[in-house]
Amino acid sequence: AETNRAYGNINMNYDATDWLKLDYTLGADYYSNQLLDAQAQSSSAFASGEIFRTDGNNLQIDHNLTATLSHTFNPNLSGTFTLGQNLNTRRFRRTDVNGQNLVAATPFNLQNTTAWIPSEFKSLVHSESYFGQATADLFNQLYLTAALRNDGFSTFGSSNPRAWYPKASAAWTFTNALGKTEQKGVLSYGKLGAA
């Protein structure tokens, strides 16, 4: 077996203002593999011998763009709002050839067989996502998050090519409400959460 792989990404961050940050990432991942498996003429599984040859490669390209607004309104209220986009494409190709009936005991390659049975598999998936998330920090004890994501995939049916995914969560650090912000006492830290 032989595998080759190359991957990398580029990331750019830009602080447009003290309250607006932009982030962009573009990445790619490519790998290929070749596999050769042989059954000798004397094998119990296939007495006349056979060769299996597989060649495959996979390419994935991913793009992410986000903009985050953050602001502290006063010591008791701060929050963030994030908008983003993700584009992704994945391509996979694999070719298999089963060579049967070895002509000679060696070499173990397809040209040394009398019958070839090929098969090929290809897939291509594109996805497009948009998302937004808002967070709020209230009185240094109540933390709220709400988010919404919309995904579209080339593998979804044509009658319903996109789907929505909402999310919400809340957490309350009740020990902060009791004034226990330092590590002392029987209960130094306590938090309740729901999502």
Side-chain angles (χ1 to χ4, degrees), residues 39-53:
Q39 300 284 334
Q41 286 177 330
S42 59
S43 72
S44 60
F46 203 81
S48 62
E50 66 180 347
I51 304 290
F52 291 98
R53 172 70 187 258

Side-chain angles (χ1 to χ4, degrees), residues 125-167:
V125 177
H126 296 293
S127 66
E128 177 186 49
S129 302
Y130 300 95
F131 51 90
Q133 176 172 288
T135 67
D137 177 352
L138 304 169
F139 305 103
N140 194 30
Q141 59 180 287
L142 184 60
Y143 308 95
L144 306 173
T145 301
L148 187 61
R149 182 180 180 99
N150 182 268
D151 290 341
F153 285 85
S154 60
T155 54
F156 285 177
S158 59
S159 63
N160 194 12
R162 304 195 68 83
W164 289 95
Y165 301 96
K167 156 178 115 167

Side-chain angles (χ1 to χ4, degrees), residues 4 11 18 37 41 46 64 69 73 79 90 95 102 107 111 113 116 124 135 137 139 147 176 184 186 188 193:
N4 298 296
N11 181 260
D18 60 348
D37 187 22
Q41 286 177 330
F46 203 81
N64 284 289
L69 293 87
F73 297 95
R90 295 181 299 277
T95 303
L102 288 173
Q111 289 78 14
T113 60
W116 292 9
L124 179 63
T135 67
D137 177 352
F139 305 103
N176 289 2
K184 60 183 178 181
V186 176
S188 60

Side-chain angles (χ1 to χ4, degrees), residues 82-118:
T82 301
L83 288 174
Q85 176 196 49
N86 172 259
L87 301 175
N88 183 284
T89 186
R90 295 181 299 277
R91 186 201 71 201
F92 178 74
R93 295 178 182 165
R94 187 181 75 210
T95 303
D96 299 313
V97 180
N98 179 356
Q100 298 180 342
N101 306 319
L102 288 173
V103 175
T106 58
F108 291 123
N109 60 38
L110 291 171
Q111 289 78 14
N112 190 28
T113 60
T114 61
W116 292 9
I117 303 172

Side-chain angles (χ1 to χ4, degrees), residues 140 173-190:
N140 194 30
T173 307
F174 58 85
T175 47
N176 289 2
L178 301 173
K180 296 189 176 199
T181 57
E182 297 182 16
Q183 300 288 330
K184 60 183 178 181
V186 176
L187 182 62
S188 60
Y189 181 80

